[in-house]
């Protein structure tokens, strides 16, 4: 069996992965708060942990992995968006969930085994909060219930912060009823316009952190193997999940391994609406960037390194995938080779795995290449089409352009050459001209029909 090693945020070490129960390897990943289209940064954890899930399924067997990713469908951002757009909250969240699944399927992400919605687990959340109060870790005040961070000695251990650091660094909401400024909300009161559920503390709604603790417990149990998410969630969200779950279930450690992916940038800058470089996955797909290309670019950077999305990388990724598809298309389904598994098993070394696939493609190892593409979720629906385009014979067009060039050299009139070149480029053909001649190849967006006028 392939040995897997993952970097564990909790211990700050790369550790050999030993599942609690190899018959049921369990992973929880924090999912989206559903009020808008997923931006490109949201796709990174989805693609990273989809690749982890694929690897786990390969190693432990399809039926021996339980992957849970939630939908946060009760949260103040959702309420605000619904209020400003005049829409019913349920319509907004339902539509956003549909969009999310569609966009993530386009980037090759398989649906997790469970996709719980927070609103379906309110009873479990209330029970967990009652339990935390009974155990002295939480207190009710003015319709709120707060977690008392002073009651949990290890608070801050995951992110390596002390409570004093946190108070100094965080924008903490100061409320007169808080015992410690870092105490966080488990439950809060709802007014008539806000979604709410009856509870021992009056009509209200859960805080964000308790949602994940309750859903993970309901679907994976007191202790499970991997908890994943972006490293922007490490503090306070994951810190708070740990505090809640460990204090509610003393003697159980919640997640054994914590995996965090780094953030995404665009052309070297933080993606933000104010910089004008903010876009959604759907924007890219509609611009004609295939999901396979988005996934390839994401996986070409290690998940623990900041990832920079650039248009140049997307073009290069498409060129590579087209070549690989042409090699792999007619191969029989095989098993991924040990080298590839070793790389992926080494803390998900996807850039190393991609370099290895380059070697396989270069050596014409079609079956291994195909198996590797499949394991990494890179064998998209475009394979037959792109492979056919790669095989498209451009020799006549090469000769045509070459002749025109010879004529132009004599007449010094390059208008005809420029015209042909422009048409080829528009059809997605890459044109390389050198002293030795003309070379054409199908490139990103190649469309043979657009060659007809030539
Ligand atoms: Zn969470």
């Amino acid at each position: 069996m392939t040995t897997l090693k993952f970097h564990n945020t909790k211990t700050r070490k790369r550790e050999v992965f030993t599942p609690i129960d190899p018959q049921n390897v369990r992973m929880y990943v924090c999912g989206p708060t559903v009020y808008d289209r997923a931006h490109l940064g949201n796709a990174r954890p989805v693609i990273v942990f989809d690749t982890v899930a694929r690897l786990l399924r390969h190693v432990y067997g399809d039926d021996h992995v339980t992957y849970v990713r939630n939908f946060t469908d009760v949260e103040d951002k959702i309420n605000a968006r619904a209020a400003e757009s005049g829409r019913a909250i349920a319509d907004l969240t339902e539509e956003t969930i549909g969009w999310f699944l569609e966009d993530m399927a386009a980037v090759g992400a398989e649906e997790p085994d469970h996709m719980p919605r927070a609103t379906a687990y309110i009873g479990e959340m209330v029970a967990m909060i009652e339990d935390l109060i009974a155990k002295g870790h939480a207190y009710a005040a003015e319709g709120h219930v707060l977690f008392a961070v002073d009651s949990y000695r290890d608070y801050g251990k995951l992110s390596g912060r002390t409570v004093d650091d946190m108070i100094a660094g965080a924008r903490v909401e100061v409320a007169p009823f808080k015992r410690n400024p870092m105490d966080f909300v488990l439950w809060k009161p709802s007014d008539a316009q806000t979604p709410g559920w009856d509870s021992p503390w009056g009509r209200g709604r859960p805080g964000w952190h308790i949602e994940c603790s309750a859903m993970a417990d309901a679907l994976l149990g007191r202790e499970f193997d991997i908890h994943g998410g972006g490293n922007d969630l490490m503090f306070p969200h994951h810190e708070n999940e740990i505090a809640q779950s460990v204090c509610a279930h003393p003697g159980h450690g919640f997640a054994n391994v914590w995996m965090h992916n780094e953030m995404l940038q665009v052309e070297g800058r933080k993606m933000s609406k104010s910089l004008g470089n903010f876009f959604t996955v759907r924007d890219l797909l509609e611009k004609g960037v295939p999901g396979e290309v988005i996934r390839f670019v994401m996986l070409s950077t290690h998940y623990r390194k900041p990832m920079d999305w650039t248009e140049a990388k997307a073009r290069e990724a498409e060129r590579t995938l087209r070549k690989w598809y042409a090699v792999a298309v007619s191969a029989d389904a095989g098993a991924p080779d040990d080298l590839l598994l070793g790389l992926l098993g080494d803390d998900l070394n996807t850039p190393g795995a991609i370099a290895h696939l380059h070697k396989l493609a270069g050596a014409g190892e079609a079956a291994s290449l195909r198996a590797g593409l499949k394991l990494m979720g890179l064998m998209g629906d475009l394979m037959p089409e792109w492979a056919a385009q790669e095989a498209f014979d451009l020799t006549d067009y090469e000769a045509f352009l070459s002749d025109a060039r010879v004529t132009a050299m004599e007449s010094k009139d390059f208008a005809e050459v420029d015209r042909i070149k422009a048409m080829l480029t528009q059809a997605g053909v890459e044109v390389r001209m050198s002293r030795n001649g003309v070379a054409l190849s199908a490139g990103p967006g190649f469309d043979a029909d657009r060659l007809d006028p030539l």
Side-chain angles (χ1 to χ4, degrees):
M1 188 181 273
T2 310
T3 304
L4 302 180
K5 287 183 190 163
F6 295 122
H7 179 91
N8 187 353
T9 308
K10 199 158 82 173
T11 58
R12 288 159 180 77
K13 282 192 193 104
R14 186 177 299 196
E15 298 171 345
V16 171
F17 176 67
T18 314
I20 299 164
D21 175 7
Q23 296 301 308
N24 184 17
V25 182
R26 288 159 289 163
M27 174 164 79
Y28 185 95
V29 174
C30 297
T33 299
V34 282
Y35 63 98
D36 210 343
R37 283 271 185 196
H39 64 69
L40 190 62
N42 300 137
R44 192 172 190 199
V46 173
I47 293 170
V48 163
F49 291 102
D50 175 68
T51 311
V52 174
R54 286 169 184 267
L55 180 63
L56 294 172
R57 289 188 206 287
H58 179 81
V59 173
Y60 295 97
D62 267 342
D63 303 333
H64 301 293
V65 175
T66 309
Y67 173 21
V68 179
R69 186 186 63 216
N70 69 291
F71 285 116
T72 292
D73 62 347
V74 48
E75 225 258 340
D76 289 353
K77 282 182 202 142
I78 302 172
N79 304 337
R81 179 61 60 90
E84 75 197 29
S85 59
R87 297 183 62 188
I89 286 174
D91 287 349
L92 175 67
T93 55
E94 196 62 39
E95 180 183 62
T96 312
I97 288 172
W99 284 345
F100 182 83
L101 293 176
E102 211 173 79
D103 295 348
M104 296 308 125
V107 298
E110 291 176 335
E111 291 192 357
D113 302 283
H114 301 280
M115 297 189 282
R117 299 180 186 199
T119 50
Y121 289 83
I122 301 290
E124 285 82 350
M125 294 173 205
V126 168
M128 198 172 206
I129 296 168
E130 286 186 296
D131 195 18
L132 285 167
I133 295 176
K135 289 182 168 122
H137 293 292
Y139 56 96
E142 298 180 27
H144 293 70
V145 181
L146 292 129
F147 185 93
V149 295
D150 293 329
S151 74
Y152 177 50
R153 213 185 44 190
D154 286 341
Y155 189 69
K157 221 175 167 185
L158 178 76
S159 54
R161 303 178 192 215
T162 67
V163 172
D164 289 341
D165 288 345
M166 293 176 197
I167 294 170
R171 280 179 297 169
V172 281
E173 198 187 327
V174 183
F177 48 81
K178 279 190 182 180
R179 291 179 190 165
N180 180 314
M182 290 313 294
D183 287 354
F184 57 89
V185 166
L186 300 173
W187 189 264
K188 55 188 159 188
S190 293
D191 60 24
Q193 285 77 46
T194 317
W197 291 263
D198 289 330
S199 82
W201 318 286
R203 187 174 170 278
R205 61 195 189 283
W208 170 37
H209 316 299
I210 196 75
E211 297 181 7
C212 285
S213 282
M215 289 186 278
D217 184 56
L219 293 163
L220 296 177
R222 302 277 135 108
E223 253 168 7
F224 54 93
D225 299 295
I226 297 175
H227 192 309
N231 66 357
D232 55 332
L233 298 185
M234 200 189 298
F235 175 80
H237 183 55
H238 290 163
E239 208 71 79
N240 294 352
E241 280 188 40
I242 294 174
Q244 295 160 161
S245 295
V246 171
C247 290
H249 311 128
H252 298 278
F254 194 40
N256 273 352
V257 180
W258 283 82
M259 291 176 73
H260 289 99
N261 65 277
E262 255 287 352
M263 295 294 100
L264 175 128
Q265 297 186 315
V266 173
E267 310 285 351
R269 307 175 81 180
K270 189 177 179 340
M271 183 160 86
S272 80
K273 285 191 172 138
S274 59
L275 287 175
N277 65 353
F278 181 93
F279 49 90
T280 65
V281 172
R282 183 52 46 181
D283 292 335
L284 274 184
L285 295 168
E286 281 175 359
K287 255 177 68 186
V289 181
E292 290 86 339
V293 167
I294 298 174
R295 187 178 181 100
F296 185 104
V297 173
M298 291 273 186
L299 294 179
S300 61
T301 298
H302 190 256
Y303 77 94
R304 297 209 304 119
K305 295 214 170 102
M307 133 106 230
D308 191 21
W309 173 272
T310 67
E311 285 190 16
K313 280 186 189 173
R315 281 194 301 273
E316 191 53 41
E318 179 164 345
R319 266 182 219 116
T320 302
L321 280 173
R322 283 173 173 274
K323 285 197 198 97
W324 289 1
Y325 285 177
V327 175
V329 68
S330 50
D332 292 332
D337 64 273
D338 289 345
L339 268 171
L340 183 80
L341 286 170
L343 288 159
L344 291 175
D346 184 17
D347 196 28
L348 208 70
N349 180 1
T350 53
I354 285 174
H356 179 63
L357 294 184
H358 270 294
K359 282 186 201 147
L360 292 177
E365 301 270 3
S368 299
L369 175 65
R370 188 177 181 122
L373 287 168
K374 186 157 191 280
L375 178 61
M376 293 179 73
L378 286 167
M379 211 172 70
D381 299 337
L382 281 165
M383 183 184 272
E385 189 186 325
W386 280 4
Q389 290 173 3
E390 282 294 304
F392 187 85
D393 189 0
L394 288 163
T395 343
D396 289 348
Y397 298 92
E398 266 171 13
F400 186 47
L401 179 58
S402 190
D403 291 349
R405 193 164 75 141
V406 171
T407 313
M409 300 270 216
E410 282 163 16
S411 67
K412 304 287 176 222
D413 178 4
F414 285 87
E416 176 66 358
V417 173
D418 292 342
R419 186 187 73 87
I420 299 170
K421 248 180 87 176
M423 289 191 78
L424 288 167
T425 309
Q426 273 168 23
V429 176
E430 300 201 325
V431 182
R432 282 179 304 277
M433 289 166 95
S434 69
R435 205 176 303 176
N436 303 326
V438 171
L440 303 182
S441 58
F446 177 70
D447 181 357
D449 291 343
R450 299 183 70 173
L451 291 171
D452 286 349
L454 277 175

